[in-house]
């Protein structure tokens, strides 16, 4: 059974750094073509893809947020960590992590966590 | 503004069929596979269609996907009130090595 769970602070102040953890089970991030992605969704708005880390430690980032994002993995804990620096109120959103399988080079986000709401406010 | 364009909303009666379009700027759809996600109110998105037209295990065949040129389409037949949700198309922009989603389409089953 594949599960993912996001965790992190619910409230952060502007200019601070957000650290989110995705803890997963039911699959291994060392399996070829296995990845984890982060996606966010501001209240009432559309999904926005943020980042992806692959089994071979390749990393990919949103072009608009690239300078502020870092993704990493801890294989011993089955966790993927996302950091977002220099927070602004526009970063207020529900943040999701999703298991991502590469099929013919196409990333399929086939299992999602329930999401965690992060509010950026002073 | 997303590089994938979807209509903001569609509606149809129970039992009817509806289609949701996803058009891409430049060659993003031409050169990449398209996925579709269903987001029921208050829940996380769920993969509905991958590789343009394949359904994951457990997704009923009322849901279908297709792609032609610079556009992709999600079709839903035999509409049910439980299908009321937001639907998103998504793809991998291989030119940018980044994922992209459409702006989402709200389906109302009247």
């Amino acid at each position: 059974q594949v599960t993912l769970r996001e965790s992190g602070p619910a409230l952060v102040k502007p200019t601070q750094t957000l650290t989110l953890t995705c803890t997963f089970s039911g699959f291994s991030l060392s399996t070829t073509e296995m990845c984890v992605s982060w996606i966010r969704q501001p209240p009432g708005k559309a999904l926005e893809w943020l980042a992806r880390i692959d089994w071979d430690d390749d990393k990919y980032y949103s072009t608009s947020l690239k300078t502020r994002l870092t993704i990493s993995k801890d294989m011993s804990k089955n966790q993927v960590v996302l950091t977002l620096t220099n927070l602004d109120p526009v970063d207020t959103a529900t943040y999701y992590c999703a298991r991502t399988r590469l099929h013919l080079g196409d990333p399929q986000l086939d299992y999602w966590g329930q999401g965690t709401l992060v509010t950026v406010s002073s | 503004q997303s590089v994938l364009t979807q209509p903001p909303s569609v509606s149809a009666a129970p039992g009817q069929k509806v289609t949701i379009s996803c058009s891409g700027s430049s060659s993003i759809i031409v050169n990449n596979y398209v996925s579709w996600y269903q987001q029921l109110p208050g829940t996380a998105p769920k993969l509905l269609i991958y590789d343009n037209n394949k359904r994951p295990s457990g997704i009923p065949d009322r849901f279908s996907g297709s792609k032609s040129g610079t556009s992709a389409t999600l079709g839903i037949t035999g509409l049910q009130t439980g299908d009321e949700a937001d639907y998103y198309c998504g793809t991998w922009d291989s030119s940018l090595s980044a994922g992209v989603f459409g702006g989402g389409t709200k389906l109302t089953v009247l």
Side-chain angles (χ1 to χ4, degrees):
Chain A
Q1 180 189 4
V2 173
T3 64
L4 303 99
R5 186 183 75 251
E6 306 87 352
S7 58
L11 179 65
V12 290
K13 294 185 183 335
T15 75
Q16 288 186 336
T17 293
L18 172 65
T19 299
L20 294 172
T21 301
C22 175
T23 303
F24 59 87
S25 63
F27 68 96
S28 173
L29 200 40
S30 61
T31 300
T32 301
E33 299 188 323
M34 198 67 73
C35 324
V36 170
S37 301
W38 282 94
I39 306 94
R40 72 179 180 181
Q41 185 174 37
K45 296 190 177 181
L47 301 173
E48 180 183 15
W49 183 88
L50 297 177
R52 188 185 101 195
I53 189 165
D54 294 358
W55 77 100
D56 58 3
D57 212 37
D58 278 350
K59 300 164 187 173
Y60 304 90
Y61 296 100
S62 161
T63 53
S64 61
L65 294 168
K66 189 170 191 171
T67 59
R68 300 171 54 207
L69 284 169
T70 303
I71 192 170
S72 62
K73 57 184 168 74
D74 185 333
M75 303 294 283
S76 66
K77 296 181 181 179
N78 275 0
Q79 291 180 335
V80 171
V81 175
L82 183 77
T83 63
L84 179 62
T85 62
N86 193 24
L87 287 173
D88 183 272
V90 299
D91 295 311
T92 294
T94 296
Y95 287 75
Y96 297 99
C97 63
R99 187 183 85 158
T100 304
R101 294 177 59 192
L102 293 182
H103 181 253
L104 302 178
D106 170 38
Q108 304 162 21
L109 284 63
D110 60 356
Y111 287 90
W112 294 60
Q114 64 185 14
T116 186
L117 176 61
V118 177
T119 301
V120 182
S121 175
S122 54
Chain B
Q1 186 173 350
S2 177
V3 296
L4 298 179
T5 301
Q6 299 180 235
S9 64
V10 296
S11 62
Q16 296 300 303
K17 174 183 177 178
V18 72
T19 60
I20 298 173
S21 61
C22 173
S23 61
S25 57
S26 67
S27 57
I28 186 172
I29 286 185
V30 171
N31 293 333
N32 300 285
Y33 290 102
V34 175
S35 297
W36 289 91
Y37 301 87
Q38 176 193 58
Q39 187 175 32
L40 297 168
T43 69
K46 178 173 78 172
L47 180 64
L48 211 56
I49 297 288
Y50 67 95
D51 287 359
N52 303 329
N53 56 17
K54 295 180 175 57
R55 285 176 284 107
S57 174
I59 301 300
D61 59 8
R62 299 188 298 108
F63 296 90
S64 64
S66 63
K67 189 180 89 167
S68 178
T70 59
S71 291
T73 302
L74 172 70
I76 311 173
T77 59
L79 277 172
Q80 303 172 0
T81 55
D83 295 332
E84 285 201 336
D86 293 323
Y87 292 83
Y88 294 90
C89 59
T91 190
W92 182 257
D93 188 339
S94 49
S95 66
L96 295 178
S97 292
V100 290
F101 288 102
T105 298
K106 182 176 182 60
L107 169 63
T108 301
V109 181
L110 302 168

